[in-house]
Amino acid sequence: MSTFSGIWVALVTPFRGGQVDLPALRSLAAHLIECGAAGLVVCGTSGEAAALDEQEQLAVLDAVLEVVPASRVVMGLAGNNQAAVLARLQRIQRRPLAGILVPAPYYIRPSQDGLQAFFLALAEASRLPIILYDIPYRSAVTLELQTLRQLARHPRIVAIKDCGGDVRKTQALIADGQLDVLTGEDEQIFATLCLGGSGAISAAAHLRTADFARVVSLLREGDLLAGRALFRGLLPWIRLAFSEPNPAPVKAALALQGMIGDELREPMLCVSDGLRAQLRNELP
């Protein structure tokens, strides 16, 4: 069964003329792995999965798999129609991936028992490891600690992307040692690693990927001072990356470097002129 650690990049989906730009996607994916990313998460929030139909999502996944080993690729799987989510799971898991990233069903706000039933149904149907995605500000429901502990008993539920905003819950999950705890809040990467967390699923790590990976390495080596200094140097970029809705700032920064086009699907919009000027002035 997979274990998840280090910096996994929450991969953006490049567009050109309204269509998925597969050549740019392949180039970006290969570049991030070469720069030290532990792996890539495809068709998550940063990948604008909600704006992609299923065929586009599978095309994105397959394009990434052409240039990145399957053991380093996680696929996002979100939805609130359980039967439809299970059907999509069957099509996704024809590929030998590292795992799938699954958030709570959004909008419908199920009970904790309902959440447990949902995730266990996926786990029973899955041949792939599952990363739980706790992000209440998008799903409108929180995975409570006891629910997570129950879910962690299932052999295919192995990790969590932690955007829950509850430090006590994060600390308890790390202390339990049953799930790999990956922060999904980029400003919390250093703190999560120091607490004993496994790593991060990061959108900001599209840029300065090697520095993000180096923070992990330094802390594993016990060099707290060097790791802290390097992470502090990343904070200005991290804050810019989330100063407007994700993934617009990341896409704008990548476009300024000539790696992808600066294009999103509405209702997501490109960054403001003011932020673009900041990115141009402050990024290498």
Side-chain angles (χ1 to χ4, degrees):
M1 190 61 65
S2 298
T3 57
F4 296 94
S5 63
I7 301 296
W8 289 68
V9 178
L11 189 66
V12 300
T13 301
F15 298 114
R16 187 169 297 277
Q19 302 301 311
V20 177
D21 187 347
L22 294 176
L25 176 67
R26 294 186 194 96
S27 177
L28 176 61
H31 166 77
L32 293 169
I33 294 297
E34 289 169 4
C35 289
L40 305 177
V41 177
V42 178
C43 293
T45 306
S46 299
E48 297 174 79
L52 302 172
D53 64 33
E54 184 179 356
Q55 292 308 308
E56 288 177 315
Q57 289 191 24
L58 292 175
V60 166
L61 175 59
D62 288 336
V64 171
L65 288 172
E66 290 177 24
V67 296
V68 177
S71 62
R72 300 175 74 175
V73 179
V74 165
M75 179 66 170
L77 176 61
N80 55 13
N81 180 321
Q82 183 167 315
V85 172
L86 287 166
R88 286 169 52 214
L89 170 63
Q90 296 306 317
R91 291 185 283 274
I92 289 167
Q93 68 180 0
R94 294 169 187 165
R95 294 111 173 129
L97 304 175
I100 55 172
L101 174 68
V102 187
Y106 53 84
Y107 182 74
I108 58 175
R109 301 184 66 193
S111 67
Q112 293 300 303
D113 286 344
L115 290 169
Q116 186 168 325
F118 172 80
F119 284 108
L120 289 177
L122 264 69
E124 285 298 307
S126 180
R127 297 188 296 273
L128 299 171
I130 292 174
I131 305 172
L132 304 172
Y133 189 3
D134 187 23
I135 184 161
Y137 56 82
R138 290 186 184 273
S139 64
V141 66
T142 298
L143 284 161
E144 295 178 359
L145 178 59
Q146 190 56 37
T147 303
L148 291 167
R149 283 173 164 162
Q150 292 291 329
L151 291 173
R153 295 178 180 178
H154 196 286
R156 281 183 293 282
I157 297 177
V158 301
I160 182 168
K161 180 180 179 181
D162 179 20
C163 297
D166 184 338
V167 175
R168 289 186 178 182
K169 185 167 71 175
T170 300
Q171 291 175 326
L173 291 171
I174 291 170
D176 287 348
Q178 298 303 303
L179 296 171
D180 294 329
V181 177
L182 303 160
T183 185
E185 301 292 339
D186 288 32
E187 286 202 44
Q188 295 301 315
I189 291 174
F190 183 79
T192 297
L193 290 167
C194 287
L195 288 169
S198 298
I201 297 175
S202 165
H206 279 87
L207 279 79
R208 299 185 64 181
T209 311
D211 287 340
F212 279 91
R214 181 64 177 151
V215 170
V216 176
S217 297
L218 287 168
L219 292 181
R220 286 175 178 167
E221 295 162 6
D223 195 340
L224 178 66
L225 293 179
R228 183 168 60 199
L230 182 54
F231 186 73
R232 282 177 174 168
L234 291 168
L235 279 172
W237 156 235
I238 291 172
R239 288 166 181 162
L240 281 178
F242 296 99
S243 59
E244 292 185 11
N246 178 53
V250 170
K251 281 192 158 183
L254 291 170
L256 287 170
Q257 296 189 341
M259 299 195 68
I260 67 171
D262 189 6
E263 186 175 332
L264 294 91
R265 280 191 174 166
E266 293 183 351
M268 297 300 292
L269 301 176
C270 294
V271 298
S272 63
D273 291 341
L275 179 54
R276 185 174 287 103
Q278 280 188 277
L279 292 169
R280 188 177 289 111
N281 291 334
E282 297 186 29
L283 292 175

